[in-house]
Amino acid sequence: MANIRDVADSAGVSVATVSRALQQPERVSPKTRSKVMTAVELVGYKPNLMAVKFRSGKTHNLVVLVPTVANVFFARVISGMQETAAELGYSILLANTLGNPDIESHYAKMVSTSQADGLIQLRALNPLDDSMINDNGLLPMVNACEVIDEGKYPTVALDNRAAAKAMTEHLLTLGHTRIAMIKGPHSSPLTQDRLSGYKDALNDANIAFDDSLLFPGDFTLHAGYNAGVIIAQQTQRPTAVFCENDETAIGAMQALKQAGLRIPEDISVAGFDDIAFSAFCDPPLTTIAQPAEEFGRTAVSLLIDVINGKIRKAPKVIMPFELIARGSTGPAQIV
């Protein structure tokens, strides 16, 4: 039966390097780690992973709490997480929480009971107890996408207010002054920040905010469609609709087109996220692009740094955005 010395000889490294690659992969360069893992397969070495984890005091498991795996944006974030976790020798344990605090608390206990080393939370709720704060004053957690800033863990977010303001300004430059907004869930910080950005742009343009132009939603196709039906029936219809995510926008576009409205000739529609489907709508959707996969990669890297005690204060990483103008927005119709 192959042993660790056989792996070291095959990989051309020391036994200590093989041990580090298996127990603390983040301390070994990706090139060396790849050589070691190739040698492990080549010689047929079967390490006792439970013993390795016991000696290191780490499971190399990370819990990820996602509000819904049905959301296309979150799927891209998770893809980035898995890629970086694998590179650094960690596994992802994914929990589809449906935004339920009880479910989140259940999976968070995996960290407190040493079944996982840390967690990434994708909505604005901290499920960990302060008793888990490490020697550097941080919880073994990263809050990404939808965040609350408690200063106890790193956060990875977009400046949603600035992005929403940029999109509203884009519609204003096209001559739209009556701009509707289909919102996300009322409790979501994303909803509030994007609404604030919308208001900022209107205020800068000296256009009075009109709450009759706000429509409730929950970031789903169905919510967008329902709001689109109502908008299409209005006698004093807005000339543009800004949706707080792309799925909402796609649903709204379907309802508006079914009502006989042309996009963008009769009404412009804009979204947020730049999911893959947005470029293939009819017409293609104007939207705010945010680097979903990079959200995931950054969150995992930060969490592993927290776990290894490399971070002494909670960084706040702000990701970039880009406004992508496509065929769903055009000049306001002059009546």
Side-chain angles (χ1 to χ4, degrees), residues 136-188:
N136 287 342
L138 299 176
L139 289 169
M141 165 179 158
V142 171
N143 188 193
C145 299
E146 181 184 288
V147 305
I148 48 174
D149 180 16
E150 296 182 332
K152 302 174 184 177
Y153 42 78
T155 57
V156 185
L158 193 82
D159 189 339
N160 285 278
R161 184 168 184 163
K165 181 181 180 183
M167 180 59 78
T168 308
E169 288 173 340
H170 171 68
L171 295 172
L172 290 167
T173 61
L174 291 172
H176 299 281
T177 56
R178 189 167 171 78
I179 303 169
M181 171 173 267
I182 305 177
K183 302 191 298 177
H186 178 72
S187 60
S188 169

Side-chain angles (χ1 to χ4, degrees), residues 214-230:
L214 298 183
F215 296 85
D218 58 6
F219 292 149
T220 64
L221 292 162
H222 189 69
Y225 182 87
N226 288 341
V229 168
I230 296 171

Side-chain angles (χ1 to χ4, degrees), residues 174-176 237 239 262 264-268 330-335:
L174 291 172
H176 299 281
R237 196 173 54 237
T239 62
R262 299 168 302 160
E265 291 85 358
D266 299 322
I267 188 166
S268 287
Q333 187 180 54
I334 300 174
V335 179

Side-chain angles (χ1 to χ4, degrees), residues 70-74 219-225 243-253 271-273 275 277 285:
N71 184 288
V72 179
F73 178 77
F74 283 144
F219 292 149
T220 64
L221 292 162
H222 189 69
Y225 182 87
C243 304
E244 289 200 6
N245 80 335
D246 287 350
E247 289 192 46
T248 299
I250 292 169
M253 287 173 67
F272 201 114
D273 285 341
I275 63 175
F277 300 125
L285 181 65

